[in-house]
Amino acid sequence: MVTAWPPPELAEVFAQQDIWSAWYAGTPEGLADAYLNAPNDRPAVRRKGFLARLGRWFWGQPTPIGERPSKLHVPLAGAIAATSANLLFGSPLNLTTDDKATQERLDQLADDTTYAVLREAAEICAALGGVYLRVVWDQSVQDKPWLVAASPDIAVPEWKWGRLSAVTFWNVIREDANTVVRQLERHEPGWIRHSVWVGSQNELGTQMALTDFPETAGLADLVIDGDSIPTGTFKLTAQYVPNLKPNKLWRHLPAAGHLGRSDFSGVEALMDALDEAYSDWMRDLRTGKARLLVGTEVLDNLGRGQGGYFDIDRELFAPLNLAPGEDSGSVIEQVQFNIRTEEHRALCADLAERIILGASYSLQTFGVTSKESGNPTATEIAARERQSLTTRANKASYWRPALAHLFGVLLEIDRAVFGTSVIPVEPHVEFPDLVAPDPSETAEQLDLLSRAGAISTFEKVRRLNPDWREEQVLEEVARIREESTPAAEPTELARRGLETTRSVTDSKGPTPVRA
């Protein structure tokens, strides 16, 4: 039985991801290749209508024969993806558990390398509409498991009731004109299965032994039953994080209805127009260079059959022997076209702003501010960044449960494989505030709430220190109460003695002072 690969039911998805990937990579060669070849490579998709129109776009038009490539790309798509990653993981997450030993081990697992992987994954997620994160481990590399990001265009997911139930990643380890060797890695609850297949560009082909290729020979000693590695947990060791939902392009496809949409979705035509406008601006600069049209009379003769030349750097020229009445002004003429700088600047700025807003971000996030911005307060910054903050919150709602699952799996594999004694639980995941509140504004709000009797000491401490764990907040509340408790009241006998002393002193008047 012939198995088509990649699966044909995902052909439309992979075709669209190729376009988004080209914008994300941002090379003129990659964009030209994606737009010129996409309609011809996938005739089944061409009938859908979308890719058939790409040839009429700026990047879909080939460079005329005899002209050098002059198309320029403005890397705004890459900047949008990087900004999305920075908004999500510019600061460490708040990962908390109730067990102290588990918390300490969790802090070790969530190290700088982990956050570097999360930022990488968040960029891919924003560009391609989603990303996969998988748990891997190798005791010869380090003494703990870690996370690895996987692009969605090398994965075939399986779903149950909208939840990822299994996923198969593939990697091309060898390729020539007629043969493609693929390594498949399937994640399912309790197992990771590895296999190697020899086929063609469009077919999976025949399964081979892992020992047949040096790239997979090391796995042969780890698998049981020929291809399976037990994970030590009944949970799935991979998760899919959608960028945003719903995906307006393929929500009707059963195999892809649960995938996310890219930040570039819907603004591809604007990004194409921005590149065209910027390329035309550069063309104006090239054609606007001053040029001289010189007559043959002022050329230096190189000899019979050798032609002549005009030295533009020469400062002195001998007068021309012209016939009476002949006009010498036509011998050298200057040609220089206008450079429409302001028109192009305004057009490019307008397109860039529309792209940013179309991707659901605030202009302020990309440094587009008014001259009267001054020194804004935290409240004003939050108001200007509202769209970006809303988009960040929406994305975080997809990342939070996926990360809780993955860090829980890390703890389980850490215990099963590396023998740690921690309690494997899913931690509580919180994204820190992006805009730090103004201390004076926060203090004023808490003071008003305190006067109204509408807030507790615990809540006041928690709001002032949102990154603290609950035990830290409780310790601070205890210290505050200890310092604010008044001194113990004097006993009744001491109180009466004090009052008697005061009355006797008052009746005798002030004590005289001796010289």
Side-chain angles (χ1 to χ4, degrees), residues 88-130:
L88 285 166
F89 299 108
S91 300
L93 299 169
N94 296 324
L95 304 173
T96 57
T97 63
D98 295 332
D99 184 74
K100 184 177 181 181
T102 304
Q103 182 67 51
E104 291 178 354
R105 186 56 174 170
L106 182 62
D107 293 339
Q108 294 173 1
L109 294 174
D111 56 9
D112 289 343
T113 303
T114 301
Y115 284 106
V117 172
L118 292 180
R119 284 190 293 271
E120 172 194 350
E123 274 203 34
I124 297 173
C125 185
L128 301 187

Side-chain angles (χ1 to χ4, degrees), residues 76 80 267 270-271 274 350-359:
L76 185 54
I80 289 174
V267 297
L270 290 174
M271 293 191 296
L274 176 61
D350 182 73
L351 287 171
E353 291 179 5
R354 292 180 183 275
I355 292 168
I356 293 170
L357 294 175

Side-chain angles (χ1 to χ4, degrees), residues 212-359:
D212 290 345
F213 300 92
E215 295 87 349
T216 58
L219 296 170
D221 297 331
L222 303 176
V223 300
I224 60 177
D225 296 333
D227 66 350
S228 304
I229 298 177
T231 61
T233 174
F234 292 108
K235 296 180 178 179
L236 190 63
T237 50
Q239 283 288 288
Y240 175 75
V241 184
N243 183 49
L244 286 170
K245 287 185 177 182
N247 192 306
K248 295 170 283 189
L249 294 177
W250 49 66
R251 64 185 184 276
H252 58 285
L253 295 178
H258 304 296
L259 299 178
R261 70 174 186 266
S262 168
D263 280 353
F264 312 152
S265 181
V267 297
E268 299 96 335
L270 290 174
M271 293 191 296
D272 184 76
L274 176 61
D275 287 351
E276 182 176 8
Y278 207 89
S279 298
D280 190 55
W281 191 356
M282 294 301 102
R283 179 177 177 275
D284 259 22
L285 290 176
R286 290 194 302 271
T287 58
K289 293 179 180 179
R291 289 172 171 82
L292 297 179
L293 300 181
V294 298
T296 57
E297 298 88 349
V298 297
L299 294 179
D300 290 328
N301 196 338
L302 294 177
R304 184 178 180 84
Q306 300 297 319
Y309 79 98
F310 179 77
D311 186 0
I312 194 172
D313 293 323
R314 184 174 176 182
E315 296 183 356
L316 297 177
F317 294 90
L320 300 175
N321 291 324
L322 300 175
E326 186 176 354
D327 185 9
S328 62
S330 61
V331 177
I332 300 178
E333 294 184 9
Q334 177 180 336
V335 177
Q336 185 171 10
F337 298 99
N338 292 329
I339 302 176
R340 300 164 295 172
T341 300
E342 293 306 320
E343 292 87 344
H344 281 101
R345 190 197 310 277
L347 176 58
C348 291
D350 182 73
L351 287 171
E353 291 179 5
R354 292 180 183 275
I355 292 168
I356 293 170
L357 294 175

